[in-house]
Structures are given as structure tokens and as C-alpha cells.
Amino acid sequence: QVQLVESGGGSVQAGGSLRLSCAASGLTYIANCIGWFRQAPGKEREGVAIISTVPGGTEYADSVKGRFTISQNNAKNTVYLQMNSLKPEDTAMYYCATNLGDHGLTFYRGCTFGSWGQGTQVSVSS
């Protein structure tokens, strides 16, 4: 069973930066898709950034393009989300997800995500 553990959240002022990490374990198969989602209070969960092997590459939500960068270290089974120029509207619980699993199935940018971490809170003050 895939386990995803996020870290790196915190409270920052607008314009600041944070780097989120997601450590994956229990990967029996290679995840074709891994990415970050977020959910703010009273709002639906939304995709932020993903890495996919089919067709390949990275995808970003329009709201974070140019500010956030997703990357991965395969040797460490870890995916990162570098968040720069943070805005108050970026405040949310951030979740790591992969396509391995069948819980809370969510289709986003060509991938169906079915395994989720517990989340890490990001709070941005103005």
C-alpha cells in the first residue's frame, strides 16, 4: 500500500517562499502520475501541479504558473513543490497524491489520482 507523507508547510507572509516535500513508500509499481493538490476552507480540492510519465512532463494550474515548481528525486522517492511569491489565496491544506490506489479518485490533467497523503498546511498572510 502506498504511503505518502507531506512536510514543509508553515506560515509565511505574502511574497515569501516554502518548499513542500512528499515522501512515498510502499511503491510496488511505478507511479505514472504524482502531484500536489490543495483545498482551502469552504472550497473544493483543486489540482496545483503534477508530474506525469504518460505523456510526460509537468502541468500547473494557471493560478500558480511561474511561481510554483514541481520536481522529484526518484532515488529518494520524493516529490517537491517549490512555492515562491506566495499569495494569501495560496492558503490551503496541500496534499500529495499518486495514481496508485483507488481512494478519492480524482481526474486531473490526464491522470486519475487515487492515493493521498494526510496533507500539510500552508498559511500566507498579507
Side-chain angles (χ1 to χ4, degrees):
Q1 185 174 355
V2 176
Q3 289 188 324
L4 304 170
V5 179
E6 303 96 333
S7 61
S11 298
V12 297
Q13 290 190 327
S17 298
L18 284 173
R19 188 195 195 203
L20 305 184
S21 299
C22 172
S25 60
L27 294 170
T28 304
Y29 302 96
I30 296 175
N32 290 327
C33 303
I34 189 164
W36 292 92
F37 291 72
R38 67 186 181 186
Q39 187 167 19
K43 294 187 177 181
E44 293 187 355
R45 185 168 59 194
E46 63 175 354
V48 175
I50 69 167
I51 295 175
S52 66
T53 58
V54 180
T58 57
E59 297 273 354
Y60 295 91
D62 289 342
S63 59
V64 306
K65 280 182 181 178
R67 301 188 298 122
F68 290 11
T69 303
I70 188 171
S71 62
Q72 64 181 8
N73 183 327
N74 290 329
K76 296 183 178 180
N77 284 338
T78 302
V79 63
Y80 305 97
L81 185 67
Q82 178 66 44
M83 305 187 296
N84 299 328
S85 302
L86 283 161
K87 304 175 180 180
E89 51 263 44
D90 295 318
T91 295
M93 185 71 79
Y94 283 70
Y95 298 92
C96 179
T98 80
N99 64 298
L100 300 174
D102 57 2
H103 300 287
L105 294 177
T106 300
F107 183 78
Y108 181 73
R109 301 292 179 99
C111 295
T112 300
F113 292 87
S115 57
W116 303 84
Q118 293 299 309
T120 185
Q121 178 67 39
V122 171
S123 298
V124 185
S125 58
S126 57

